[in-house]
Amino acid sequence: HIEWTTEKNHLTGRLKKSVGDAFACLTILMLGSSTVRREFVQDSSKIPNRRLTALSFFDRDLKRLRSSLFGSDGVAFEKAVNSLTYLLGFSGCILNESQAPDIILSSPNESLVIIECTTRISDFDTKLGKLVDRKVSLTKELRNTNDPRNVFSYLVCGLPRDQIVINEKKLAEYKVTLLTQESLEDLLSRLNFPENLDELLEYDLSALETTN
């Protein structure tokens, strides 16, 4: 299907191919059995996750977001984690209060998620202690007002898992999910399609129960 033309000393091939409603296409140029070049083409106007389309308009290829997620600036890291949860479909905010979780989210089924963020391993025990205490306090307050909603807790760090020394059974005991650099990279790779967030939360919780 390639149309070939001769231009000066070059043989030029042009190919037009309809891809329907597909939002992305991987093109591969080969010479015999050898791959010459691969090119990934994406039409942002067709991406199923419309939140990603909006955010990518201001942060092309999410370069700033990725830089902040894997950088050492704690304030920028919190903002990046909040932006990532927005892209996943959560509603939430960064709190303007020191005696509170860094981020509080709400899922489509109104489950609550509290998040503590850290860029260092030295304050892990402190962060974990605060997270557990705030989860218990919030859950107790909800029960006092006859609110049956679940509260999920996450400790998020941009470091690789092998650089983080933490007791897995302790996390499981307190029902705290640890997200590491690998976890964040995985979530970034899945942004094109909307997630079932409540299923995602339940999956993480069940993984903790398996550990325990």
Side-chain angles (χ1 to χ4, degrees):
H1 300 287
I2 300 177
E3 296 180 358
W4 295 96
T5 57
T6 301
E7 300 178 3
K8 296 183 179 179
N9 297 324
H10 295 85
L11 189 62
T12 303
R14 289 184 173 85
L15 171 67
K16 290 184 179 180
K17 176 69 176 176
S18 173
V19 294
D21 293 327
F23 70 89
C25 180
L26 175 63
T27 61
I28 304 175
L29 176 63
M30 302 185 69
L31 181 61
S33 59
S34 300
T35 300
V36 177
R37 182 172 179 178
R38 296 171 183 263
E39 189 77 23
F40 187 77
V41 183
Q42 184 168 289
D43 184 350
S44 59
S45 67
K46 294 181 179 179
I47 295 176
N49 186 353
R50 305 312 295 161
R51 293 187 181 204
L52 177 58
T53 303
L55 205 64
S56 296
F57 177 77
F58 297 102
D59 182 10
R60 188 165 299 279
D61 298 325
L62 303 182
K63 290 181 179 179
R64 273 297 183 87
L65 175 61
R66 294 175 187 275
S67 175
S68 297
L69 277 177
F70 307 118
S72 58
D73 186 325
V75 175
F77 181 65
E78 285 183 20
K79 291 180 179 179
V81 171
N82 191 52
S83 295
L84 179 58
T85 61
Y86 167 80
L87 289 172
L88 289 169
F90 285 102
S91 299
C93 65
I94 296 176
L95 278 76
N96 297 318
E97 167 59 52
S98 59
Q99 300 303 316
D102 293 329
I103 301 171
I104 291 185
L105 307 175
S106 179
S107 75
N109 286 348
E110 294 300 321
S111 290
L112 294 175
V113 182
I114 60 174
I115 297 175
E116 288 288 344
C117 302
T118 181
T119 57
R120 305 188 307 274
I121 58 174
S122 59
D123 63 350
F124 246 83
D125 287 340
T126 301
K127 285 284 188 178
L128 179 60
K130 288 181 178 180
L131 184 60
V132 172
D133 179 64
R134 287 160 182 169
K135 176 184 178 181
V136 171
S137 299
L138 178 57
T139 302
K140 185 180 295 185
E141 177 63 21
L142 292 174
R143 298 301 176 263
N144 288 339
T145 57
N146 296 316
D147 190 332
R149 283 184 292 174
N150 292 323
V151 179
F152 297 85
S153 53
Y154 285 77
L155 188 56
V156 185
C157 181
L159 293 174
R161 181 64 186 87
D162 60 9
Q163 293 183 22
I164 303 172
V165 180
I166 198 164
N167 190 321
E168 297 282 358
K169 291 190 176 294
K170 197 173 183 180
L171 288 174
E173 178 185 351
Y174 293 125
K175 296 183 179 180
V176 173
T177 298
L178 172 65
L179 297 185
T180 63
Q181 182 183 99
E182 294 85 353
S183 310
L184 298 174
E185 288 174 343
D186 177 60
L187 291 173
L188 283 169
S189 71
R190 293 156 49 183
L191 291 178
N192 283 324
F193 298 95
E195 296 271 357
N196 185 318
L197 300 178
D198 289 283
E199 284 187 3
L200 186 63
L201 294 173
E202 291 295 341
Y203 175 83
D204 288 341
L205 181 60
S206 65
L208 288 174
E209 293 170 349
T210 302
T211 303
N212 202 18

